Amino acid sequence: MIILIAGASHTGKTLLAQKMLEKYNYPYLSIDHLKMGLIRSGNTRLTPEDDEALTEYLWPIVREIVKTAIENRQNLIVEGCYIPFDWRSDFDERYLPSVRFICLAMSEEYIEDHFGEIVGHESEIEFRSADPDRTSDSLKADNRSVIDGFRHAGEQIVLIDHDYEQTIKELI
């Protein structure tokens, strides 16, 4: 089984992947770690701020890792924001039954009511530097974009709108 975890920034993709790793003992790949390895090693001139270009650059690599894991009957959790909205178009019927897709997003009301908590948990699993440009409005815009893009592609969205802990617990 491959579990793909996509979603907006600060929705808990890494936390969910960590909890699934602990429950199922599946290895997990952080697309952010892959990104930083390629950037730091000089294998790309892209920077962490080049989100669209990074998706185009990283997804073909991640896609083939997923296919290889499925072909080898291996379990893997893959999480990150560099999964394109139309990811399914890259897999045929041999692969799709082995993929569980989860997309996390938060409602605007949830962000408004819990912004301090959201930012307070941003380093729960891995360290994040404080970003002065991170505002409730920027998180709302990111979530709207993710919701609109994945819904337009026909994907289900796990919308966090009141009880974060319960929503995550139900996914594990």
Side-chain angles (χ1 to χ4, degrees):
M1 174 61 62
I2 305 300
I3 303 171
L4 286 180
I5 304 171
S9 178
H10 287 73
T11 54
K13 297 178 298 293
T14 307
L15 176 65
L16 178 58
Q18 180 68 35
K19 288 182 180 288
M20 288 181 152
L21 173 148
E22 292 167 3
K23 180 174 181 177
Y24 299 113
N25 292 314
Y26 291 3
Y28 103 76
L29 170 67
S30 165
I31 302 173
D32 280 339
H33 291 174
L34 177 61
K35 167 189 77 177
M36 291 311 298
L38 291 164
I39 289 171
R40 288 180 173 176
S41 67
N43 283 298
T44 181
R45 292 178 187 247
L46 296 172
T47 71
E49 289 78 35
D50 296 325
D51 283 336
E52 273 189 49
L54 281 164
T55 298
E56 291 175 23
Y57 181 69
L58 294 169
W59 178 244
I61 299 166
V62 172
R63 176 191 68 218
E64 297 308 316
I65 290 170
V66 168
K67 287 179 180 178
T68 301
I70 292 169
E71 290 163 356
N72 288 312
R73 297 186 183 109
Q74 295 171 310
N75 299 312
L76 181 64
I77 301 164
V78 178
E79 66 86 12
C81 61
Y82 302 105
I83 298 171
F85 300 136
D86 66 344
W87 69 271
R88 283 184 193 272
S89 66
D90 289 331
F91 296 93
D92 63 33
E93 66 280 347
R94 291 176 295 161
Y95 299 102
L96 287 173
S98 298
V99 179
R100 177 182 175 199
F101 178 73
I102 300 170
C103 178
L104 297 176
M106 295 175 175
S107 70
E108 291 194 10
E109 295 77 19
Y110 186 86
I111 294 168
E112 193 67 40
D113 294 344
H114 300 275
F115 181 72
E117 293 171 54
I118 294 166
V119 173
H121 287 284
E122 67 187 0
S123 292
E124 185 113 349
I125 300 298
E126 60 187 15
F127 177 75
R128 286 184 178 214
S129 300
D131 181 355
D133 296 329
R134 187 176 308 111
T135 64
S136 65
D137 287 339
S138 68
L139 283 183
K140 288 176 192 176
D142 185 34
N143 276 266
R144 270 192 307 274
S145 173
V146 165
I147 291 168
D148 292 346
F150 279 113
R151 279 199 178 145
H152 182 72
E155 297 294 344
Q156 298 274 337
I157 308 296
V158 176
L159 188 64
I160 300 160
D161 62 356
H162 66 282
D163 188 338
Y164 180 86
E165 296 292 328
Q166 185 60 34
T167 302
I168 297 299
K169 187 184 240 184
E170 290 172 3
L171 292 171
I172 300 172

